[in-house]
């Protein structure tokens, strides 16, 4: 008996804004995510991506619960992509928080086809 792996969702993560814009369509709302240790701070752009407003925070618990709420908000607002703050050190190196942010993006890619842009905070 052969076991096949569950199909992966085709979401992808990039640090290239042009690649992200190509994947996220030329218009449509984006959700910005500040992935803190206790909450995900969220901001929602308008459809022209000119301005963003605060959206409800997600108090962190289990990843699947948190991601479920995030994806529910994305569906509710017609979101076409996520912009996730990547906390690099002043010298450009990446510490534990940046590693956790990259893990967040990888895990979201497994659950959603929406593209993710990692943006240096």
């Amino acid at each position: 008996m052969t076991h096949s792996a569950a199909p992966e969702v085709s979401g992808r993560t990039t640090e290239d804004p042009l690649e992200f814009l190509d994947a996220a369509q030329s218009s449509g709302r984006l959700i910005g995510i500040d992935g803190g240790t206790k909450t995900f701070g969220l901001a929602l752009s308008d459809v022209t991506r000119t301005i963003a407003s605060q959206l409800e925070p997600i108090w962190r618990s289990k990843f699947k619960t948190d991601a479920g709420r995030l994806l529910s908000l994305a569906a509710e607002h017609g979101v076409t992509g996520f912009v996730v703050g990547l906390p690099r050190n002043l010298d450009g190196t990446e510490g534990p928080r940046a590693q956790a942010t990259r893990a967040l993006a990888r895990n979201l890619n497994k659950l959603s086809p929406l593209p993710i842009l990692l943006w240096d905070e």
Side-chain angles (χ1 to χ4, degrees):
M1 173 187 289
T2 26
H3 294 279
S4 61
E8 286 195 31
V9 176
S10 61
R12 68 179 184 219
T13 298
T14 184
E15 292 182 52
D16 180 344
L18 294 177
E19 182 182 335
F20 173 75
L21 290 174
D22 184 48
Q25 305 170 13
S26 59
S27 65
R29 294 178 186 268
L30 302 175
I31 287 182
I33 304 170
D34 180 6
T37 56
K38 297 185 187 226
T39 64
F40 288 145
L42 304 178
L44 178 67
S45 79
D46 65 346
V47 293
T48 64
R49 300 178 181 165
T50 305
I51 191 165
S53 302
Q54 182 178 346
L55 194 59
E56 69 181 67
I58 296 175
W59 291 93
R60 296 192 69 173
S61 60
K62 294 184 179 184
F63 176 75
K64 286 201 174 192
T65 303
D66 301 342
R69 181 64 188 141
L70 176 62
L71 296 177
S72 174
L73 287 167
E76 178 182 333
H77 293 286
V79 168
T80 61
F82 299 111
V83 178
V84 181
L86 182 64
R88 287 196 171 112
N89 298 320
L90 291 177
D91 65 1
T93 61
E94 295 184 5
R97 291 300 318 143
Q99 292 171 3
T101 298
R102 288 185 181 281
L104 167 66
R106 276 191 310 273
N107 290 328
L108 279 175
N109 285 150
K110 294 174 185 174
L111 300 176
S112 171
L114 294 176
I116 298 171
L117 174 64
L118 295 177
W119 190 259
D120 187 2
E121 296 180 332

